[in-house]
Amino acid sequence: PARRGRVSGAREPPDIDLLPAPGAAGRPVVELQRVLDLLGDLTGEIDGVFSATTVAAVQSLQRRLGAEPTGELTPALLARAR
């Protein structure tokens, strides 16, 4: 069963215009969470809040890509994820 919030049929991750940080909320976080969900790193809901769950998802992505798991989204990490 698909999780609520999963983007079905999407072929490419959505663009993220702004790089959100922990504690942020809003559309940039939703876009980040969509990317993390598509990549299989987000375990929670897409809720638009850069909470501990989103930090853990970013850390998961960082580990998979061989980067230090800081939980911070950087332009270099985003480029590698694409």
Side-chain angles (χ1 to χ4, degrees), residues 1-81:
R3 288 189 308 232
R4 193 176 86 218
R6 181 165 298 282
V7 179
S8 63
R11 295 190 176 164
E12 299 216 7
D15 289 329
I16 299 174
D17 295 326
L18 302 171
L19 297 179
R27 184 168 177 82
V29 180
V30 168
E31 294 302 317
L32 169 62
Q33 290 172 331
R34 288 180 65 206
V35 170
L36 293 167
D37 187 55
L38 287 169
L39 296 173
D41 294 292
L42 185 67
T43 59
E45 298 294 323
I46 296 173
D47 61 5
V49 179
F50 202 134
S51 63
T53 301
T54 304
V55 170
V58 172
Q59 289 172 326
S60 171
L61 175 62
Q62 289 169 322
R63 282 186 202 95
R64 285 192 312 103
L65 296 176
E68 182 180 349
T70 63
E72 294 181 34
L73 184 63
T74 64
L77 178 67
L78 188 56
R80 289 182 64 196

